[in-house]
């Protein structure tokens, strides 16, 4: 199973590493509140079936400054995570899903831009990961890909929905939502070019 090792930066200062929303049980993840204003006192919080607005270090996770390290994830860690300032301001939230099953779907966590290509990958807990996988949207089969990767080309709002994958003999992944944001384009102002003034010399006497 291959994945990028870089930190993925979400809007409003929330970062997640590795950059995915689905995890196998007993994997680990690090979340960080990027502090543009260190005086704001950002804290990582979550809503799960076990509690609401609980903060990192309060019976879950290990807080190290603005970073929250979660080791040995379990299904009850599934929930919504966000950063909250001392004054109560909140960052964008991220849905994390932890499964005790054998298959996860690798998909974008945040909304993707209209017109972008989006690749979904179906991973198994044990090698090999590049197995044939069937991909579903809102419960309906899209297609089966021989290597377990499916690319949605030039996505539009019609591509929004809940996605899931299934690998025969291994099982199915949890569902993850893909949202598509409208691409806002602005045209640069037209350049105003004045013709050079003509240089006229007086006639010589």
């Amino acid at each position: 199973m291959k994945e990028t090792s870089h930190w993925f930066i979400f809007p409003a200062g929330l970062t997640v590493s590795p950059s995915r929303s689905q995890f196998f049980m007993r994997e680990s993840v690090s979340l960080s509140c990027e502090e543009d204003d260190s005086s704001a006192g950002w804290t990582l919080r979550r809503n799960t079936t076990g509690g609401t607005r609980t903060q990192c270090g309060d019976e879950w996770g290990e807080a190290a400054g603005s970073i929250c390290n979660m080791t040995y994830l379990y299904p009850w860690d599934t929930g919504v995570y966000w950063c909250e300032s001392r004054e109560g301001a909140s960052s964008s939230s991220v849905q994390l899903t932890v499964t005790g099953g054998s298959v996860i779907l690798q998909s974008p966590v945040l909304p993707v831009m209209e017109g972008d290509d989006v690749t979904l990958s179906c991973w198994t807990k044990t090698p090999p990961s590049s197995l044939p996988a069937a991909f579903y949207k809102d419960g309906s089969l899209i297609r089966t890909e021989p290597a377990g990767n499916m690319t949605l080309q030039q996505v539009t709002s019609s591509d929004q929905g809940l996605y899931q994958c299934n690998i025969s003999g291994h099982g199915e992944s949890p569902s993850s939502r893909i949202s598509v944001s409208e691409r806002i384009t602005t045209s640069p102002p037209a350049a105003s070019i004045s013709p050079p003034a003509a240089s006229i010399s007086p006639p010589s006497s």
Side-chain angles (χ1 to χ4, degrees), residues 146-204:
N149 301 306
M150 180 182 72
T151 299
L152 304 172
Q153 296 184 330
Q154 297 182 338
V155 296
T156 66
S157 59
S158 64
D159 291 306
Q160 294 185 133
L162 286 173
Y163 286 78
Q164 193 176 25
C165 67
N166 183 293
I167 296 179
S168 180
H170 292 266
E172 63 182 15
S173 73
S175 297
S176 281
R177 176 169 297 279
I178 292 180
S179 299
V180 180
S181 296
E182 183 180 0
R183 186 181 296 276
I184 301 175
T185 57
T186 56
S187 301
S192 177
I193 302 175
S194 300
S199 175
I200 302 176
S201 301
S204 55

Side-chain angles (χ1 to χ4, degrees), residues 20 33 90 136 195:
R20 49 189 169 96
C33 299
S90 298
Y136 297 82

Side-chain angles (χ1 to χ4, degrees), residues 1 5 9 22-23 29 43 63 69 95 112 118 158 168:
M1 184 173 67
S5 59
I9 301 179
Q22 293 190 10
F23 295 85
V29 64
T43 300
N69 297 309
Q95 172 74 42
V112 296
V118 177
S158 64
S168 180

Side-chain angles (χ1 to χ4, degrees), residues 4-185:
T4 54
S5 59
H6 62 274
W7 286 72
F8 191 96
I9 301 179
F10 295 100
L14 179 60
T15 65
V16 177
S17 178
S19 59
R20 49 189 169 96
S21 62
Q22 293 190 10
F23 295 85
F24 292 114
M25 189 167 66
R26 297 189 181 89
E27 284 194 305
S28 61
V29 64
S30 293
L31 302 98
S32 175
C33 299
E34 294 294 310
E35 300 180 85
D36 292 333
D37 179 7
S38 59
S39 64
W42 290 94
T43 300
L44 190 81
R45 294 187 181 275
R46 74 178 188 180
N47 286 341
T48 65
T49 55
T52 59
R53 296 192 68 252
T54 58
Q55 70 180 56
C56 179
D58 183 11
E59 298 184 353
W60 64 272
E62 295 180 1
S66 62
I67 298 176
C68 181
N69 297 309
M70 299 176 64
T71 56
Y72 296 102
L73 291 167
Y74 289 95
W76 52 80
D77 291 311
T78 294
V80 177
Y81 291 75
W82 74 96
C83 296
E84 188 174 292
S85 72
R86 188 180 297 111
E87 290 74 23
S90 298
S91 71
S92 299
S93 61
V94 172
Q95 172 74 42
L96 299 184
T97 301
V98 183
T99 178
S102 301
V103 178
I104 61 173
L105 176 68
Q106 164 75 333
S107 63
V109 180
L110 287 183
V112 296
M113 295 300 297
E114 191 175 39
D116 286 351
D117 292 344
V118 177
T119 297
L120 308 179
S121 299
C122 202
W123 290 352
T124 56
K125 190 172 184 178
T126 55
S129 284
S130 55
L131 296 172
F135 290 86
Y136 297 82
K137 175 179 177 284
D138 297 329
S140 298
L141 176 66
I142 304 172
R143 61 179 179 267
T144 298
E145 292 288 350
N149 301 306
M150 180 182 72
T151 299
L152 304 172
Q153 296 184 330
Q154 297 182 338
V155 296
T156 66
S157 59
S158 64
D159 291 306
Q160 294 185 133
L162 286 173
Y163 286 78
Q164 193 176 25
C165 67
N166 183 293
I167 296 179
S168 180
H170 292 266
E172 63 182 15
S173 73
S175 297
S176 281
R177 176 169 297 279
I178 292 180
S179 299
V180 180
S181 296
E182 183 180 0
R183 186 181 296 276
I184 301 175
T185 57

